[in-house]
């Protein structure tokens, strides 16, 4: 997976500090769940995975739910920050606008926004109920996506592209995604996306499905499992 973690869209970025008074509390909520994801191996950076590139990211809506498509702003972890053991507000960016057709993102913060920003944007465009997106990498969940009947993006669609954003929107319209609030990224090895009304809800959904995946794995192996 040579393109893992690499920004694949044009970025119009203003490097400046994010306002703690405006974004600090929400960033702390995301950091808390990102820490849980790091402890469970759902976000991070390892030499033996994805050619050593970082993986996983988190975001939350900060703009009005009624904002026009392409202007539904959100706070998201920065590009190449997945491997950082500890993060704070300075490791986030705010995506102020985006254009799928032009493959362009407008943002501000000390760091560039995550390479998955387009995919997160599509989730916020899909429904005003979506206020948090967690992008995890889970081998056990991804490998059992069919057994668990998770909605899945087209395997031919690459991550971080306008096509992936359109796939997320399609799944939200055409499948049980609004009920399950989780999907597998078919062409993005181990990629899982969770949509929630808050970081707490999204985190709870992720952990529940992770437990179901490990339960399914246990039933497949005589004597139980220690790791997958």
């Amino acid at each position: 997976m040579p393109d893992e973690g690499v920004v694949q869209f044009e970025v119009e970025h203003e490097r400046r500090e994010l306002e703690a008074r405006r974004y600090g509390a929400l960033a702390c909520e995301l950091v808390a769940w990102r820490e849980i994801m790091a402890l469970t191996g759902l976000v991070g950076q390892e030499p033996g995975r994805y050619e050593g590139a970082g993986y996983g990211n988190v975001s939350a809506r900060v703009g009005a739910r009624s904002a026009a498509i392409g202007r539904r702003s959100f706070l998201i972890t920065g590009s190449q920050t997945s491997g950082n053991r500890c993060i704070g507000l300075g490791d986030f960016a705010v995506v102020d606008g985006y254009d799928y057709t032009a493959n362009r993102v407008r943002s501000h913060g000390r760091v560039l926004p995550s390479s998955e920003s387009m995919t997160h944007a599509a989730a916020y465009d899909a429904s005003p109920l979506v206020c948090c997106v967690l992008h995890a990498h889970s081998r056990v969940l991804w490998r059992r996506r069919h057994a668990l009947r998770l909605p899945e993006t087209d395997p031919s669609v690459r991550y971080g592209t306008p096509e992936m954003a359109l796939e997320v929107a399609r799944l939200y319209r055409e499948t049980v995604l609004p009920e399950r609030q989780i999907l597998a990224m078919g062409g993005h090895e181990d990629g899982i996306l969770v949509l929630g009304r808050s970081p707490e809800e999204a985190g709870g959904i992720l952990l529940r499905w992770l437990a179901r995946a490990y339960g399914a794995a246990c039933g497949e192996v005589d004597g139980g499992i220690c790791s997958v």
Side-chain angles (χ1 to χ4, degrees), residues 11-212:
V11 187
E12 182 184 330
H13 186 75
E14 182 183 352
R15 291 192 182 272
R16 59 183 169 90
E17 297 285 340
L18 298 183
E19 300 174 37
R21 182 174 59 181
R22 182 174 182 183
Y23 302 114
L26 182 57
C28 284
E29 285 188 68
L30 290 174
V31 166
W33 279 103
R34 193 260 192 190
E35 175 67 8
I36 292 171
M37 291 170 68
L39 291 171
T40 50
L42 301 173
V43 62
Q45 188 170 20
E46 303 170 28
R49 297 182 73 180
Y50 322 124
E51 299 186 0
Y55 57 90
N57 43 70
V58 299
S59 75
R61 187 193 297 268
V62 294
R65 299 187 187 193
S66 59
I69 298 292
R71 296 184 180 179
R72 297 180 178 177
S73 56
F74 53 93
L75 182 71
I76 188 167
T77 42
S79 176
Q80 303 299 326
T81 62
S82 298
N84 296 355
R85 186 59 193 89
C86 299
I87 66 170
L89 182 58
D91 298 293
F92 285 83
V94 171
V95 171
D96 300 298
Y98 42 91
D99 186 327
Y100 303 122
T101 303
N103 197 23
R104 182 183 300 119
V105 163
R106 181 167 47 84
S107 59
H108 73 275
R110 280 174 50 185
V111 295
L112 293 173
S114 165
S115 58
E116 287 284 1
S117 292
M118 280 288 192
T119 304
H120 286 246
Y124 295 119
D125 281 347
S127 171
L129 297 177
V130 178
C131 291
C132 178
V133 177
L134 305 181
H135 174 210
H137 274 236
S138 169
R139 186 166 300 164
V140 65
L141 251 176
W142 196 79
R143 287 183 176 178
R144 286 166 180 79
R145 62 194 185 281
H146 298 146
L148 295 170
R149 302 181 67 182
L150 297 184
E152 180 181 359
T153 61
D154 187 328
S156 68
V157 175
R158 297 174 61 197
Y159 91 102
T161 61
E163 290 75 20
M164 178 61 79
L166 294 174
E167 269 293 281
V168 171
R170 179 188 66 78
L171 285 179
Y172 201 93
R173 291 193 310 268
E174 299 178 2
T175 72
V176 295
L177 178 56
E179 298 172 14
R180 299 198 173 197
Q181 296 174 267
I182 185 170
L183 64 89
M185 304 172 83
H188 188 34
E189 184 182 354
D190 301 337
I192 299 292
L193 208 66
V194 178
L195 318 180
R197 289 173 290 188
S198 67
E200 183 175 12
E201 182 182 68
I205 291 167
L206 177 58
L207 294 182
R208 284 196 297 274
W209 280 100
L210 186 62
R212 292 170 187 170

